[in-house]
Amino acid sequence: MMNKRSLAIAAITGMCSAFMFVSCKKDGCTDAAATNYEEKAKKDDGSCKYAATDSRDQIVGNYLITDSLFVGGVFSEQKVYVLQVTKGGTKKDTLYINNFWNEGGSLQAITAGTNFSIPSQMGLSGLGKVTGSTMTFTIEQGGGSEHKGIGTKQ
């Protein structure tokens, strides 16, 4: 049977061991995808930080487009071509739509997530979006002409 002194020493030893075990657990960011990931952290403390992403990245690329031209609401002709989308300028919402109608020119577009708008330029303006790997757009051209395009990212 243990005496009071042995019992007290055992209790103190147990408490010290428990304290040391708990204090060895390091809090920090446990997500390896975070910029401040702490390999030795055992418990996530909510401090994880991530690199800023550019929403334009999900739109940028080459698309094989089927573009139908309507004049006065009546189908006129269709072209299949590669449309290239690139980031533009220093603004985080600017894209360039290159090779529109397979003519080599560029149109500036403004993004809002995966949607984009083409402000009036060179007699053209329009709207479009990217859903997954598919781009769709409607671009109005002076004189009642309208381009309706759809294509897949290559």
Side-chain angles (χ1 to χ4, degrees), residues 101-116:
W101 196 238
N102 205 31
E103 293 181 352
S106 291
L107 297 170
Q108 186 177 14
I110 307 301
T111 63
T114 57
N115 295 315
F116 60 90

Side-chain angles (χ1 to χ4, degrees), residues 43-87:
K43 182 180 176 192
D44 194 341
D45 64 1
S47 67
C48 295
K49 295 180 182 163
Y50 301 91
T53 58
D54 189 332
S55 64
R56 298 175 298 173
D57 290 340
Q58 53 196 335
I59 301 175
V60 168
N62 294 323
Y63 295 83
L64 183 60
I65 296 290
T66 300
D67 189 340
S68 299
L69 175 63
F70 294 84
V71 179
V74 178
F75 175 79
S76 175
E77 65 178 300
Q78 186 175 70
K79 285 188 181 182
V80 177
Y81 58 95
V82 174
L83 184 75
Q84 181 188 43
V85 180
T86 57
K87 292 180 188 178

Side-chain angles (χ1 to χ4, degrees), residues 13 15 19-21 28 38 50 53 67 85 87-88 94 96-97 102 106 108 113 115 125 135 137 145 148 153:
T13 303
M15 288 181 0
F19 177 76
M20 287 175 48
F21 177 73
E38 293 182 38
Y50 301 91
T53 58
D67 189 340
V85 180
K87 292 180 188 178
T94 305
Y96 287 101
I97 310 292
N102 205 31
S106 291
Q108 186 177 14
N115 295 315
S125 63
M135 172 186 281
F137 60 79
S145 298
K148 292 187 179 202
K153 197 172 197 178

